[in-house]
Amino acid sequence: MSIRNDGLIKTFVADGVLIGRRLVTFGTGRMTMRQANAATDALIGVTTQIGSENHGRVDVIVSGITEVSAGASFTKGTVLTSNSEGKVVAATDPTHRIIGIALEDVESDDYAAVLLAQG
């Protein structure tokens, strides 16, 4: 069971359709976010469970402990990045941008409790 303790949540404008509990990065306009789709994206945070329509408002969790969709299985303590769908996976290369640390063992397509620590 995941335990959430969302910290700072900031509202942005969605650059495209954003799915809930996925990683986001900078969009093309001012104060916009788009779905992350690469481990090298500048990872900003995680969409709330609601997500957003294109050009709609989207709430992004940028600190704390939250739930993120897992794109692969991993164990607690794993340093995490994004896959092509904005889901968290293990960071395996020094060029990967980091979104945080897994707080529990997770199977693919589950929700993972993640301590957000961008880097």
Side-chain angles (χ1 to χ4, degrees):
M1 177 173 79
S2 295
I3 299 173
R4 290 180 46 192
N5 187 10
D6 299 338
L8 178 63
I9 300 175
K10 176 68 180 153
T11 302
F12 294 92
V13 175
D15 188 357
V17 174
L18 301 181
I19 300 168
R21 294 189 175 118
R22 300 283 179 100
L23 301 177
V24 293
T25 188
F26 295 107
T28 56
R30 183 173 185 263
M31 297 300 288
T32 63
M33 290 287 135
R34 68 169 175 81
Q35 199 91 50
N37 60 15
T40 53
D41 284 344
L43 303 174
I44 304 303
V46 179
T47 55
T48 62
Q49 63 271 21
I50 298 169
S52 179
E53 296 178 0
N54 189 25
H55 303 296
R57 293 189 179 270
V58 61
D59 290 332
V60 176
I61 304 159
V62 297
S63 69
I65 297 169
T66 195
E67 293 179 330
V68 187
S69 295
S73 300
F74 48 80
T75 58
K76 59 187 167 217
T78 300
V79 177
L80 301 169
T81 190
S82 179
N83 70 5
S84 62
E85 299 175 318
K87 295 181 177 184
V88 288
V89 294
T92 58
D93 187 286
T95 63
H96 290 173
R97 299 295 290 265
I98 305 303
I99 192 59
I101 301 165
L103 296 179
E104 61 185 344
D105 298 342
V106 176
E107 297 297 321
S108 184
D109 295 322
D110 282 347
Y111 293 122
V114 175
L115 171 63
L116 296 177
Q118 296 90 336

